[in-house]
Amino acid sequence: EVQLVESGGVVVQPGGSLRLSCAASGFIFDDYAMHWVRQVPGKGLEWVSLISWDDSIIYYADSVKGRFTISRDNSKDSLYLQMNSLTTADTAFYYCAKAARTYSNFRNWFDPWGQGTLVTVSS
Amino acid sequence: SYVLTQPPSVSVAPGETARITCEGYKIGGKSVHWYQQKAGQAPVLVVYDDDYRPAGVPERFSGSNSGNTATLTVTRVEAGDEADYHCQVWDNSSDHPVFGGGSKLTVL
């Protein structure tokens, strides 16, 4: 069974930093691009970042560019999101999601998603 | 950037047909994917590439896409279908995925 499990969500003060992790299992992690998507409680989904299977392609939403860094460790089947200079607008559930198809064929849909981890930015 | 517009809410009685729209400029030229998100849960894929269902998704869920509108249709709606539904496409100009704002399906 393909499974994604996020961790690392906590309450952090504005201006603070946080690192989220996503542990993958049930598929060949090395073969797939991975995404982070966030959702303010009660609101819609917002794509945050993408990393290709081999790190050669990394994209960010404008709202997080320059503050967030996506990375992966294929030896540990893990995806990460380093979040710096956090603001209250970053308060959200953060989901990791797997690209549907392998290698460079990642411009499609997300399946599956993790259960999400809640990041709260508050003083 | 590319914008997808969904109605905030759709309400239907049990057994009826729900149609949830997703509007975008020439969306008919793109592949549209739909996710179901029940309260307190993560999104789950229910339709991909306009009108394909993943294994395990009931045949009651179907999709269509033409012109400036994509539609997710749920026939014989059940109480368990009550959820938020999100459409998504890949925006080739920005090379990023884009989501609609989500539609809450209420079963009366």
Side-chain angles (χ1 to χ4, degrees):
Chain A
E1 178 194 6
V2 175
Q3 196 169 13
L4 300 170
V5 179
E6 302 92 337
S7 60
V10 292
V11 178
V12 60
Q13 291 189 338
S17 297
L18 197 57
R19 189 196 198 203
L20 304 182
S21 299
C22 171
S25 60
F27 64 102
I28 302 174
F29 183 73
D30 308 25
D31 290 354
Y32 291 87
M34 296 293 295
H35 300 264
W36 287 101
V37 179
R38 69 184 180 182
Q39 184 177 35
V40 173
K43 302 297 184 182
L45 300 170
E46 179 190 16
W47 172 79
V48 172
S49 184
L50 150 74
I51 185 167
S52 64
W53 64 282
D54 62 351
D55 295 358
S56 64
I57 297 174
I58 289 178
Y59 294 150
Y60 299 99
D62 288 344
S63 57
V64 306
K65 198 174 297 182
R67 300 187 300 121
F68 289 11
T69 301
I70 191 171
S71 62
R72 63 191 296 162
D73 186 338
N74 287 347
S75 70
K76 296 182 178 179
D77 290 350
S78 293
L79 174 72
Y80 306 102
L81 187 67
Q82 177 67 41
M83 309 164 66
N84 298 332
S85 303
L86 286 162
T87 74
T88 55
D90 296 315
T91 294
F93 285 96
Y94 284 75
Y95 298 97
C96 66
K98 169 184 156 291
R101 298 209 165 114
T102 57
Y103 303 117
S104 297
N105 191 10
F106 58 77
R107 293 172 176 85
N108 37 63
W109 61 95
F110 308 90
D111 185 39
W113 301 56
Q115 87 288 350
T117 188
L118 179 61
V119 173
T120 303
V121 183
S122 174
S123 55
Chain B
S1 61
Y2 194 77
V3 175
L4 295 174
T5 301
Q6 297 183 238
S9 63
V10 175
S11 299
V12 295
E16 297 298 308
T17 296
R19 294 179 180 85
I20 301 171
T21 58
C22 177
E23 296 184 344
Y25 180 69
K26 294 186 177 179
I27 195 174
K30 300 180 180 298
S31 292
V32 181
H33 320 298
W34 292 91
Y35 304 91
Q36 176 192 66
Q37 186 179 26
K38 295 184 178 179
Q41 299 183 21
V44 173
L45 181 73
V46 291
V47 167
Y48 65 95
D49 278 351
D50 296 341
D51 58 0
Y52 290 87
R53 280 185 311 278
V57 174
E59 292 183 7
R60 302 184 297 103
F61 289 81
S62 63
S64 62
N65 183 18
S66 179
N68 292 320
T69 305
T71 303
L72 174 70
T73 301
V74 187
T75 59
R76 302 184 303 281
V77 167
E78 303 172 356
D81 299 330
E82 191 163 277
D84 292 327
Y85 291 85
H86 309 269
C87 60
Q88 177 247 318
V89 300
W90 195 277
D91 177 23
N92 291 328
S93 61
S94 64
D95 207 14
H96 293 169
V98 175
F99 290 97
S103 297
K104 181 174 180 57
L105 175 61
T106 299
V107 182
L108 300 172

